[in-house]
Amino acid sequence: MRALIVHQVGPGVAVQDLGRPGFLAVGLTRGGAADVLALHEGATLLGQSVDRAALEMVGTGGTFEASEDMRIALTGAVMSAQIDGETVAWNASHAVPKGARLVVGPTRSGAYGYLHVGGGFETEPTLGSRATHQSCGLGALITAGQTLLVGQDKRRDIGMTLAVPPRLSGGVVRIVPSMQTMDFDADIRTRFEATTFRRDPRANRQGIRLDSNGPGFSNPSALSIVSEVIVPGDIQITGDGTPFVLMAESQTTGGYPRIGTVLPCDLPRVAQAPAGAELQFEFLELEAGAQVQARANADWAKLRTSVTPLVRDPATMQDLLSYQLVSGAVSATHSDLDKG
């Protein structure tokens, strides 16, 4: 039986995949990984389909044992990791021999880390997905003592890494107009775009609260809307003027006005912003936003072209001569250390 045995685990570890599209009309948001790009990165490092389920880890990971030889990849928020006591690199793929223990420790940067296995985790699917949707009661958090079944893996390549675009410490997030954007006064929209927000500690997979200095962003004329459909990425403004960015497990309808909607390709940046990280929003017209999203989709689809060996072979390095291979060397017969 191919499996990963859970000896110890953090409080927020759950199986996640791309979620459950197509159920919005019956009150179920897609859910799935908070950082979808991390799923693409893990699949690329292991050379498998992005549909494979992974473990999403918040704050800390746990201690896991491989029942058979298997491959893993680590992506998303950077966390400490060791295989049988030996530190291993993040954003890379590794071998975990049969009986070896993988220890994933606390988060060093970002919010959501991901553990991928060759073959993916094969928990029982519900409504076409293995994703844990806590707010709807689908699936449950991983607990110590569990044995997580792992699918068959025909590949053997390991030791690959990816250069990860910066998204673990906040930054600029692009948004497009939403249904109520123009209901907000022009000066409020301008001030919203010019404001540097801080990610509030009060955040989860349903939504992230944003703090800022100065007055809130409520607009009396936008407070009387009828409850209507909402999606992850919508930025709701509550009655006291506080913005909330809705995330993977947001509700399906709501009555708070939305000042804008985060582009799906930038939602991982919001998800990965640690408490206190600064976020700033930039409005794009709908057509420009669609072009940005299309380029991001294309970049995600060709991630495999960016994979490189974790340890490069000098025989295949075309840029070898650009490295200062003798930097710091001293002469054995004319060393500056002999002076003085």
Side-chain angles (χ1 to χ4, degrees):
M1 178 179 66
R2 282 177 58 79
L4 202 64
I5 303 165
V6 183
H7 290 288
Q8 179 272 330
V9 70
V13 178
V15 174
Q16 297 293 352
D17 56 21
L18 293 175
R20 298 174 178 84
F23 293 98
L24 197 62
V26 293
L28 179 64
T29 45
R30 180 169 185 151
D35 182 352
V36 176
L37 178 52
L39 288 190
H40 284 266
E41 292 166 343
T44 300
L45 287 168
L46 293 175
Q48 63 188 16
S49 169
V50 72
D51 295 329
R52 299 287 189 178
L55 285 188
E56 182 177 86
M57 304 172 289
V58 186
T60 190
T63 301
F64 312 93
E65 179 184 341
S67 69
E68 296 184 14
D69 292 351
M70 61 181 64
R71 301 184 303 144
I72 67 162
L74 301 164
T75 67
V78 179
M79 310 169 87
S80 62
Q82 295 180 327
I83 298 175
D84 276 352
E86 182 177 346
T87 299
V88 295
W90 206 259
N91 302 317
S93 59
H94 308 280
V96 181
K98 178 180 178 180
R101 292 206 176 192
L102 166 68
V103 178
V104 181
T107 304
R108 293 176 174 173
S109 60
Y112 293 93
Y114 294 85
L115 166 59
H116 313 258
V117 292
F121 290 100
E122 292 202 335
T123 53
E124 190 67 28
T126 303
L127 299 177
S129 169
R130 294 183 167 88
T132 303
H133 200 304
Q134 297 178 54
S135 60
C136 290
L138 297 176
L141 295 178
I142 301 302
T143 58
Q146 278 188 264
T147 297
L148 303 175
L149 297 181
V150 174
Q152 292 301 311
D153 182 17
K154 297 181 179 179
R155 302 187 60 145
R156 295 291 179 267
D157 45 315
I158 56 168
M160 307 304 290
T161 188
L162 270 173
V164 177
R167 66 177 187 278
L168 303 181
S169 58
V172 176
V173 176
R174 294 161 293 187
I175 62 177
V176 293
S178 189
M179 298 293 288
Q180 291 86 39
T181 300
M182 300 311 296
D183 292 339
F184 289 86
D185 293 342
D187 64 320
I188 293 179
R189 300 195 305 270
T190 300
R191 185 163 54 85
F192 183 84
E193 192 171 18
T195 297
T196 298
F197 295 93
R198 297 177 303 277
R199 194 269 212 181
D200 191 280
R202 288 166 286 183
N204 54 34
R205 286 176 48 82
Q206 290 182 285
I208 292 177
R209 185 182 190 274
L210 301 176
D211 292 328
S212 65
N213 299 325
F217 300 88
S218 60
N219 201 88
S221 64
L223 292 177
S224 58
I225 65 170
V226 176
S227 184
E228 61 184 8
V229 64
I230 54 178
V231 296
D234 281 347
I235 306 174
Q236 289 186 322
I237 305 296
T238 59
D240 64 356
T242 301
F244 279 79
V245 182
L246 302 184
M247 304 304 289
E249 292 185 13
S250 67
Q251 68 274 28
T252 57
T253 61
Y256 287 121
R258 292 162 291 174
I259 198 168
T261 301
V262 177
L263 291 178
C265 60
D266 279 6
L267 204 53
R269 182 181 292 274
V270 180
Q272 292 288 14
E278 294 184 345
L279 292 164
Q280 191 165 8
F281 296 93
E282 175 187 353
F283 274 107
L284 299 179
E285 293 299 327
L286 192 58
E287 183 177 350
Q291 293 174 353
V292 168
Q293 184 63 45
R295 288 195 295 270
N297 292 343
D299 289 341
W300 292 10
K302 62 181 182 182
L303 272 174
R304 62 186 181 278
T305 63
S306 301
V307 175
T308 58
L310 193 57
V311 178
R312 299 178 66 186
D313 181 357
T316 63
M317 292 172 62
Q318 296 182 354
D319 57 347
L320 181 63
L321 293 180
S322 68
Y323 288 80
Q324 294 184 7
L325 300 180
V326 295
S327 178
V330 297
S331 170
T333 57
H334 297 86
S335 173
D336 289 338
L337 298 177
D338 295 332
K339 295 179 180 179

